[in-house]
């Protein structure tokens, strides 16, 4: 009989002499090799595992965990409340004669915050976060009353009382010791390119330092509108606007001149409070709008409308209407990693 | 007698003439031990190097994440009114590659707004440093915390950020 491993007698074939020498050696080497391989694999596994853990550690960084989501939520609430404030200031008009002339604005704001807060709360609740916005009840801290000072008909920027005179006074103090937001100008044309250019000056109340925006037409043909931002009489930066044959719009807080971004305006940085003054206003014609805060720390005003014009009120203009300059809301954000509660003072477009 | 064993043989063509199985075995064992020992020592050194690198990498990640959290807390504190409450809690690993570690916050200048965050193993073998500067808060208080959950909070009494254990 022939077995698979043996000869006809069933015995295993005898190993050759070389095999008998190599057999035990091969076994020892295999054992040693296996041992080394095992140690190596264990070490490699350890290193790779910790390396993977490092990557996991680094990649587990999310905005929600770190708090970036709280910043985004706060920014979104600021934008929402700011938009609501802008819409509210457009929709409501002064009613005159009330003991609290701003009460309609305040009531409308109070009525509008809960639906807005509900939307914010629902939106963030889907991600497991609690975000809430509430309007404080205290009048003195919740609302900052203000006025919209404006010139809606195209006219000179000279002092109003002198415009009919032969030589109007080009220097006009529009706002005194206050803060301004949403300042917008529309310039139709410069009266004379050879006369000193029109300037909007922001004089800081505390230091007396002057920031200015100078707007003029380039005298060369075809000229463009030009804008310079100056500090203490020295030009900081400038930009060029559209052709002077067109009217040009200036949005100070948006840093836009003629609809385009003007980096020079980003460098305008007056420290509140400040006085806003037009100089050489008789050399340009156009319109302007700006929101000014009342700067009255002593609570709601007595009855009647301005001008109860005095230095503390800050308005030295002929056209104005009530508006809410700013509001304060309580903001709460809670997630698995972030606990944050603060009051947000919102006055969009503040210079 | 003519046999097949060591020392045997019938002619000069055999290459194992004069070699006993005991000597061969001893040589094999010694050589195997030497090779094995060398490989183990070499592998161990390699693994130690890799482990050290991993510890450094992980401490670096912990440091960067903690500093990012401090900067976020700084930005959250940037409101017109100081926050009523602000705390950001982060979960960090208790150990990195088997080593316990701690976090130290050291101010560059007393009363300044620049600080250095040291993340170091308890045995002091590995340490990394990450600098951080705050804009809104009045600085970061000096502190030492152990690994695990770490909280960055705003201290309203002095307007500083505090890094402490959660």
């Amino acid at each position: 009989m022939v077995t698979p491993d043996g000869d006809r007698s069933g015995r295993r074939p005898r190993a050759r002499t070389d095999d008998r020498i190599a057999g035990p050696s091969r076994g020892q080497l295999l054992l040693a090799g296996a041992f080394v391989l095992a140690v190596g694999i264990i070490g490699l596994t350890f290193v790779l595992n910790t390396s993977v853990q490092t990557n996991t550690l680094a990649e587990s960084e999310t905005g929600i965990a770190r708090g970036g989501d709280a910043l985004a939520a706060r920014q979104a609430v600021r934008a929402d409340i700011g938009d609501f404030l802008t819409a509210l200031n457009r929709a409501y008009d002064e009613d005159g004669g009330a003991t609290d002339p701003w009460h309609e604005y305040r009531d409308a704001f109070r009525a509008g915050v809960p639906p807005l807060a509900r939307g914010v709360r629902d939106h963030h609740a889907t991600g497991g976060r609690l975000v809430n916005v509430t309007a404080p009840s205290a009048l003195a801290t919740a609302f900052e009353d203000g006025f919209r000072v404006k010139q809606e008909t195209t006219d000179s920027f000279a002092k109003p009382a002198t415009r009919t005179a032969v030589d109007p006074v080009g220097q006009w103090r529009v706002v005194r010791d206050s803060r301004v937001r949403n300042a917008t100008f529309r310039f139709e044309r410069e009266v004379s390119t050879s006369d000193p250019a029109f300037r909007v000056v922001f004089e800081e109340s505390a230091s007396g330092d002057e920031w200015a925006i100078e707007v003029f037409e380039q005298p060369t043909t075809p000229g463009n509108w030009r804008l310079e931002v100056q500090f203490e009489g020295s030009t900081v930066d400038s930009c060029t606007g559209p052709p002077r044959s067109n009217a040009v719009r200036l949005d100070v807080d948006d840093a836009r001149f003629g609809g385009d971004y003007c980096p020079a305006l980003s460098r305008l940085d007056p420290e509140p409070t400040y006085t806003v003054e037009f100089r050489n206003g008789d050399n340009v014609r156009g319109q302007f709008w700006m929101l000014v805060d009342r700067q009255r720390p002593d609570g709601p005003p007595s009855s009647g409308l301005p001008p109860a014009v005095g230095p503390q009120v800050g308005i030295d203009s002929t056209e104005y209407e009530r508006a809410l300059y700013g509001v304060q809301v309580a903001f709460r954000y809670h997630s698995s990693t972030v606990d944050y509660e603060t009051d947000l003072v919102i006055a969009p477009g503040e210079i | 007698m003519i046999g097949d064993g060591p020392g045997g043989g019938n002619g000069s063509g055999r290459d194992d003439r004069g070699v006993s199985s005991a000597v061969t075995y001893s040589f094999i064992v010694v050589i195997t031990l030497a090779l094995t020992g060398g490989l183990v020592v070499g592998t161990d050194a390699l693994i130690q190097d890799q482990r050290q690198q991993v510890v450094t990498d992980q401490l670096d990640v912990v440091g960067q994440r903690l500093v990012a959290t401090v900067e976020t807390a700084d930005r959250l504190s940037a409101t017109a009114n100081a926050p009523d409450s602000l705390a950001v809690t982060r979960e960090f690993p208790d150990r990195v590659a088997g080593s316990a570690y701690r976090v130290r916050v050291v101010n560059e200048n007393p009363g300044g707004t620049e600080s250095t965050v040291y993340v170091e193993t308890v045995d002091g073998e590995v340490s990394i440093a990450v600098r951080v500067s705050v804009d809104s808060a009045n600085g970061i208080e000096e502190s030492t915390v152990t690994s695990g959950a770490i909280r960055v909070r705003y201290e309203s009494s002095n307007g500083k950020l505090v890094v402490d254990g959660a």
Side-chain angles (χ1 to χ4, degrees), chain B residues 10 12 15-16 32 57 68 86 89 91 100 104 113 142 145 147:
Chain B
N10 57 356
S12 58
D15 58 358
D16 59 345
T32 304
D57 288 348
L86 166 58
T89 308
E91 286 290 339
R104 273 193 308 128
T113 56
E142 291 194 335
V145 290
S147 54

Side-chain angles (χ1 to χ4, degrees), chain B residues 115-137:
Chain B
S115 304
T116 303
V117 175
Y118 293 95
V119 188
E120 55 201 11
T121 52
V122 172
D123 56 19
E125 274 191 8
V126 185
S127 174
I128 64 101
V130 188
R131 296 188 70 167
V132 60
S133 172
V134 291
D135 294 326
S136 307

